[in-house]
Amino acid sequence: TSVARMCKQYATVGHSEETTALSVTTESGRQHKRLRYVRKEGGCNVLFRHVPEPWLLYVTDIFTTLVEIRWRVMFLIFALSYILSWLFFGILYWVMALANGDMQSDFNEPCMYGVRSFTAAFLFSLETQTTIGYGTRGMSENCMVAIVVVTVQDVISCIIDTFVIGIVVAKMASARKRAQTIGFSHCAVVNLQDGFLCLSWRVGDFRRNHMVEGSSRAQLVRSTMHATGRVDMTYKDLDLQQSDIILVTPTTITHRIDRQSPLYASTMDDLGKDDFELVVSFTYTDDYTGILHQTRTSYTPPEILWGQLFQDMLRVTRRHYRVDYSMFHHTARVLVPVISAEAYERKKLLQQSSPRHSPRRSPRFSQQGIVSSEEDGMKLATMAVPNGLGKGKGKVHTRHHPQSRFVKKDGHCNVQFVNVSEKGQRYLADIFTTCVDIRWRWMFVIFCLAFLLSWLFFGFVFWLIAIFNGDLESNDKDKVCVFNVSSFTAAFLFSIETQTTIGYGSRYVTDECPVAVFMVVFQSIVGCIIDAFIIGAVMAKMAKPKKRNETLVFSHNATVAMRDNRLCLMWRVGNLRKSHLVEAHVRAQLLKSRTTAEGEFIPLDQKDIDVGFDSGVDRIFLVSPITIVHEINESSPFYDMSKQELENTELEIVVILEGMVEATAMTTQCRSSYLAGEILWGHRFEPVLFEEKNYYKVDYSRFHKTYEVQSTPLCSARDLAEKKYIMSNSNSFCYENEMALENKEDTDEGNGGSVGPDGTQTDNISETEHSQATVPLEPRSLRRESEI
């Protein structure tokens, strides 16, 4: 295999003179075939050789070592730890019985009752450490040495059980298991998006769990072999159009091939002949377990298809969005120029500057896509035809669907997954997250079945042992394997007493039957592992950070109003608990379907809404309710939207609050969304913070309330910035003046005020000053509002 060849070839690994390169020296100077650096499933095809003191490093970090090894090896280690501890203390009890003469005479006061052989001493050690205590073997209060040994064994037993439980829980919650339910597309594609050549691939989550702080990254890895046999590996980061994503539905990650891209000068033929590897990763925190995960894969040049487009897999119904995972890897061919992005941009500039264009010609087919037959490769089209991956069934969907809420007000995503391949296998591979994810009643059913099936299995084994040993006909305790087991019911009860460490004493295993002793040992180990799994799953389910979201609230509506002479979009967030949310920060994304210049329909295109990430204002100290502010400037997606356009646009604003729960240090995420009809133009939030004598008081009855600001312009922020709209001079300066002026307007209608072309008030300055000077203000205890 390639891994075996790599093990023989690579000798040392070290850094070269360049900080971005990794040098790999081979034992032979011959040219070797290019190996995949990162496998498709995400594992790295790298072997470390000549690591100093490897065993010491692994033993020092024994916890990580046990978490990383395979399950069967871990079970073997745990079984050996239990068996060796039972054997060690069994030998001690046997030596004490020999020294005290317990095996020769029945008249002396023994140290341990019923210990007449090494097998009996081993069973006494097992019953002591597993707390079974059948009752046939016991310890005398007259033997101080035996009391000390039993005390030490009990302490060691607690330490071993704790260690086993921690390792099993950590291994079940391993990040690599959760990564198996995150998938990348089999191939990457190159096509045109908004007039630019772009490299794209698709990532999707096969679970319905939410991702916290999901971010994508891509690197271009190149290897260069020198004549001396040294291999230099260079890494180049690719700039992504949307690195922070909300992975609820499958998302296409896009890298624009511009001047900063390492693929800027590559044509379709150059890409097929090039020797590199595109390593892509998606890092995220699971909402149910609060554990950080990363999923990886890679694409080689043959796996990057030029002139292909991912097919739409999102359908909109009346109640929800439906994701068809059978289309996850399917692509369709589209018209794409075969020239490089550099030449394509140069051709566009020439066409824009030249008065005439060359005549169009019919398109022709290429091996990897449909390209234009024009000399410059500039002809484009938006039609799609079937290809091998799509199997002739798919088309690029450009239909318009009625809007349906993507994220519900309670934060749950309104999405259904259909045709998920290998769903059961993926869920079983990530069994820990599956148990934490399911409802409590189903988890209790699964755990009850686990106990019952294990008791039935071992009860059946003990019943077979009793049948083959003749215990059902004879009740001589010197000959039977398990005393007082004369039926299957008795064997089932003995199995329960053994695994639950009850040990009533009426049924017990004798020291004359090695098979029964072995089954007791095996059942005790299995019982410890089942207990560890149940304890870990129950603790993770009770402490999952998702429950903390119930005490984090968003306002029912968002508002648009003037703040600091700029048009702003605002919403409010609050924490109903007194415990803090550590490292709390807010995010917002605009979900809006759009059609590219090439005619590709992108459903639910995600665009970041700036809430102060660059300046650090997005990180908040959430003690009292805070108003989150998005300034509608040139970089805002709402810059060209007026009030009427906003009301007639189908969009959804997803707002997110992320932070660490102070009690558990787990990362949690709270979500909500606002449709266009839930954004109140010309409104502000009522203050909720009151200043008392010795403290601040938060009135949550005002949390969702707003008041109207009639002086808010109805035009877009662009028109406002370009002075196309005449601002009203009657801007009130605080909440009390707003309320007072609203009452005053009822009595001053028709007195000197004029109405602007879009229906807003445009009083002159003198009237404004007069109204503000003569209107009596109602005194209030409300002092200020918490805001960003």
Side-chain angles (χ1 to χ4, degrees):
T1 63
S2 60
V3 179
R5 293 196 302 269
M6 193 173 185
C7 296
K8 296 179 180 179
Q9 295 168 7
Y10 289 158
T12 59
V13 177
H15 288 284
S16 66
E17 296 177 357
E18 298 179 358
T19 57
T20 59
L22 181 68
S23 298
V24 183
T25 305
T26 61
E27 295 177 355
S28 61
R30 295 178 301 173
Q31 183 78 18
H32 296 283
K33 186 179 178 181
R34 176 71 161 82
L35 297 175
R36 185 182 286 272
Y37 188 62
V38 177
R39 305 186 189 98
K40 295 298 288 184
E41 75 277 4
C44 295
N45 193 20
V46 177
L47 177 68
F48 293 158
R49 297 283 301 273
H50 305 298
V51 178
E53 299 179 352
W55 285 104
L56 179 61
L57 298 177
Y58 279 82
V59 173
T60 303
D61 189 14
I62 187 64
F63 184 83
T64 307
T65 301
L66 292 176
V67 171
E68 289 182 347
I69 61 177
R70 296 183 179 274
W71 276 104
R72 54 179 177 268
V73 180
M74 191 188 70
F75 287 149
L76 179 61
I77 293 175
F78 288 162
L80 287 176
S81 64
Y82 279 118
I83 293 174
L84 291 177
S85 64
W86 297 337
L87 283 172
F88 174 75
F89 287 101
I91 293 174
L92 291 182
Y93 295 134
W94 180 53
V95 171
M96 283 188 289
L98 288 175
N100 196 54
D102 297 348
M103 299 183 182
Q104 288 80 17
S105 175
D106 294 335
F107 300 100
N108 297 332
E109 184 68 22
C111 277
M112 290 155 290
Y113 299 104
V115 176
R116 296 291 185 269
S117 62
F118 175 75
T119 305
F122 175 77
L123 287 174
F124 176 73
S125 173
L126 186 150
E127 295 174 21
T128 301
Q129 188 164 331
T130 58
T131 69
I132 295 177
Y134 291 118
T136 57
R137 282 169 286 270
M139 183 180 59
S140 173
E141 68 276 8
N142 298 324
C143 188
M144 187 58 62
V145 178
I147 295 175
V148 173
V149 174
V150 167
T151 303
V152 173
Q153 186 178 12
D154 290 338
V155 174
I156 292 177
S157 173
C158 294
I159 295 174
I160 294 176
D161 291 342
T162 304
F163 191 80
V164 169
I165 291 173
I167 294 296
V168 171
V169 172
K171 190 168 182 63
M172 287 189 301
S174 173
R176 288 181 294 181
K177 298 299 181 183
R178 179 64 177 93
Q180 295 185 12
T181 55
I182 302 292
F184 288 93
S185 55
H186 292 162
C187 62
V189 298
V190 175
N191 50 44
L192 283 171
Q193 293 186 19
D194 298 325
F196 293 92
L197 277 175
C198 295
L199 172 66
S200 307
W201 59 92
R202 181 176 272 173
V203 59
D205 184 10
F206 299 101
R207 284 188 179 273
R208 297 187 61 183
N209 299 22
H210 302 296
M211 298 298 169
V212 182
E213 298 180 344
S215 62
S216 184
R217 188 183 178 189
Q219 281 188 328
L220 202 68
V221 181
R222 294 181 182 273
S223 62
T224 304
M225 179 170 285
H226 300 273
T228 59
R230 190 188 67 177
V231 178
D232 290 339
M233 302 191 68
T234 58
Y235 306 89
K236 176 66 176 179
D237 286 328
L238 300 184
D239 294 331
L240 303 180
Q241 296 294 104
Q242 188 74 21
S243 59
D244 298 328
I245 57 178
I246 303 176
L247 193 62
V248 178
T249 61
T251 302
T252 301
I253 311 298
T254 302
H255 162 66
R256 179 177 290 179
I257 306 178
D258 52 15
R259 296 181 183 272
Q260 287 74 33
S261 174
L263 303 175
Y264 186 59
S266 299
T267 64
M268 184 181 71
D269 296 333
D270 295 337
L271 187 67
K273 299 175 183 179
D274 204 348
D275 184 17
F276 67 85
E277 189 169 339
L278 177 63
V279 179
V280 298
S281 64
F282 180 66
T283 306
Y284 52 94
T285 301
D286 189 78
D287 193 20
Y288 277 82
T289 61
I291 299 175
L292 187 66
H293 307 269
Q294 185 185 76
T295 304
R296 299 171 298 273
T297 191
S298 67
Y299 300 104
T300 56
E303 296 169 341
I304 301 177
L305 306 181
W306 193 290
Q308 298 284 336
L309 180 70
F310 286 114
Q311 295 195 14
D312 183 19
M313 53 188 301
L314 188 64
R315 303 292 183 270
V316 182
T317 62
R318 291 184 177 181
R319 296 185 177 181
H320 51 256
Y321 291 85
R322 177 173 296 175
V323 178
D324 185 3
Y325 265 97
S326 64
M327 308 295 293
F328 184 74
H329 303 287
H330 289 188
T331 63
R333 295 183 180 182
V334 291
L335 294 180
V336 175
V338 297
I339 57 179
S340 64
E342 181 181 12
Y344 179 66
E345 290 188 7
R346 188 165 55 249
K347 294 290 185 180
K348 285 198 301 183
L349 293 176
L350 291 176
Q351 285 188 356
Q352 292 174 1
S353 60
S354 61
R356 296 180 180 179
H357 300 283
S358 60
R360 295 185 178 182
R361 302 177 186 177
S362 59
R364 60 181 174 84
F365 285 85
S366 69
Q367 293 180 354
Q368 290 182 300
I370 306 176
V371 298
S372 172
S373 61
E374 292 179 309
E375 183 178 355
D376 55 6
M378 291 293 296
K379 182 177 179 181
L380 306 176
T382 58
M383 61 173 289
V385 297
N387 71 331
L389 293 176
K391 298 182 181 179
K393 298 180 181 180
K395 294 182 179 180
V396 180
H397 299 275
T398 59
R399 292 185 303 169
H400 178 74
H401 300 286
Q403 186 182 19
S404 178
R405 184 181 287 275
F406 186 69
V407 177
K408 300 178 182 178
K409 298 298 287 185
D410 57 0
H412 291 86
C413 295
N414 191 21
V415 178
Q416 279 190 350
F417 293 164
V418 296
N419 300 326
V420 180
S421 62
E422 300 178 350
K423 182 178 180 180
Q425 182 179 350
R426 296 177 187 271
Y427 276 46
L428 287 177
D430 187 20
I431 187 63
F432 183 79
T433 307
T434 303
C435 291
V436 175
D437 192 5
I438 60 177
R439 296 182 180 274
W440 277 104
R441 54 179 176 267
W442 292 113
M443 191 178 72
F444 287 148
V445 169
I446 292 174
F447 289 163
C448 290
L449 287 176
F451 281 120
L452 288 174
L453 292 177
S454 63
W455 296 340
L456 284 172
F457 172 76
F458 287 103
F460 182 73
V461 172
F462 288 127
W463 182 53
L464 291 179
I465 293 174
I467 291 177
F468 288 114
N469 195 56
D471 297 350
L472 303 182
E473 291 81 11
S474 175
N475 202 22
D476 188 0
K477 58 182 179 181
D478 295 332
K479 298 181 180 180
V480 297
C481 281
V482 184
F483 183 75
N484 204 15
V485 173
S486 57
S487 64
F488 176 76
T489 304
F492 177 72
L493 289 175
F494 175 72
S495 174
I496 293 176
E497 295 175 23
T498 300
Q499 187 166 330
T500 58
T501 70
I502 295 176
Y504 291 115
S506 58
R507 283 171 286 270
Y508 56 90
V509 63
T510 64
D511 53 359
E512 301 295 333
C513 188
V515 178
V517 173
F518 172 78
M519 291 309 303
V520 169
V521 171
F522 185 59
Q523 185 176 13
S524 300
I525 296 173
V526 172
C528 292
I529 295 175
I530 293 177
D531 292 341
F533 183 88
I534 292 177
I535 292 172
V538 171
M539 289 181 60
K541 191 170 181 65
M542 288 191 299
K544 63 182 180 180
K546 184 180 177 181
K547 295 300 182 182
R548 181 65 171 88
N549 299 347
E550 304 297 332
T551 55
L552 301 173
V553 292
F554 288 94
S555 56
H556 292 161
N557 298 95
T559 63
V560 175
M562 296 296 295
R563 173 167 290 195
D564 296 329
N565 296 323
R566 293 183 179 273
L567 206 60
C568 296
L569 171 69
M570 296 171 281
W571 63 92
R572 179 177 274 170
V573 61
N575 182 13
L576 301 182
R577 282 187 179 271
K578 290 186 177 181
S579 59
H580 301 299
L581 201 64
V582 184
E583 290 289 332
H585 55 279
V586 291
R587 291 173 55 196
Q589 285 196 332
L590 174 65
L591 303 183
K592 182 183 177 183
S593 301
R594 71 181 183 95
T595 303
T596 64
E598 296 75 30
E600 178 189 0
F601 178 72
I602 303 178
L604 298 179
D605 185 34
Q606 300 181 12
K607 289 186 178 180
D608 280 329
I609 298 176
D610 184 22
V611 290
F613 176 79
D614 295 334
S615 60
V617 185
D618 63 323
R619 299 191 175 273
I620 58 178
F621 185 55
L622 191 59
V623 178
S624 61
I626 292 180
T627 301
I628 311 300
V629 178
H630 164 64
E631 181 181 324
I632 305 178
N633 51 25
E634 293 84 354
S635 60
S636 173
F638 308 101
Y639 190 59
D640 295 318
M641 289 188 185
S642 63
K643 178 184 178 182
Q644 184 177 3
E645 291 173 345
L646 180 64
E647 293 174 350
N648 297 331
T649 303
E650 291 186 355
L651 56 84
E652 185 171 350
I653 300 174
V654 179
V655 293
I656 301 171
L657 172 64
E658 297 174 345
M660 289 191 299
V661 181
E662 190 177 31
T664 61
M666 290 185 176
T667 304
T668 185
Q669 183 185 84
C670 183
R671 297 166 299 273
S672 186
S673 69
Y674 302 104
L675 300 178
E678 296 170 345
I679 302 176
L680 305 180
W681 191 289
H683 283 249
R684 291 178 184 156
F685 288 105
E686 289 192 10
V688 294
L689 188 64
F690 293 81
E691 185 177 351
E692 301 295 338
K693 292 183 178 180
N694 300 322
Y695 59 90
Y696 291 92
K697 181 176 68 175
V698 177
D699 185 5
Y700 269 98
S701 64
R702 299 175 178 268
F703 182 80
H704 301 286
K705 294 182 179 179
T706 63
Y707 64 93
E708 186 175 1
V709 183
Q710 296 183 358
S711 59
T712 303
L714 306 182
C715 67
S716 65
R718 179 184 293 276
D719 293 341
L720 192 63
E722 296 175 355
K723 309 297 184 181
K724 295 181 179 180
Y725 176 84
I726 302 176
M727 280 289 299
S728 171
N729 293 320
S730 60
N731 288 338
S732 27
F733 54 90
C734 65
Y735 173 76
E736 290 84 352
N737 283 11
E738 292 284 353
M739 297 295 101
L741 288 175
E742 285 184 2
N743 295 333
K744 185 67 176 176
E745 287 172 359
D746 295 338
T747 60
D748 292 344
E749 289 183 355
N751 297 331
S754 61
V755 179
D758 49 6
T760 57
Q761 188 73 20
T762 58
D763 297 332
N764 55 46
I765 299 177
S766 61
E767 292 172 343
T768 304
E769 294 174 350
H770 176 73
S771 63
Q772 291 183 352
T774 57
V775 174
L777 302 181
E778 178 185 355
R780 302 171 65 94
S781 60
L782 214 53
R783 297 296 180 89
R784 62 182 66 89
E785 180 184 4
S786 298
E787 55 189 32
I788 297 182

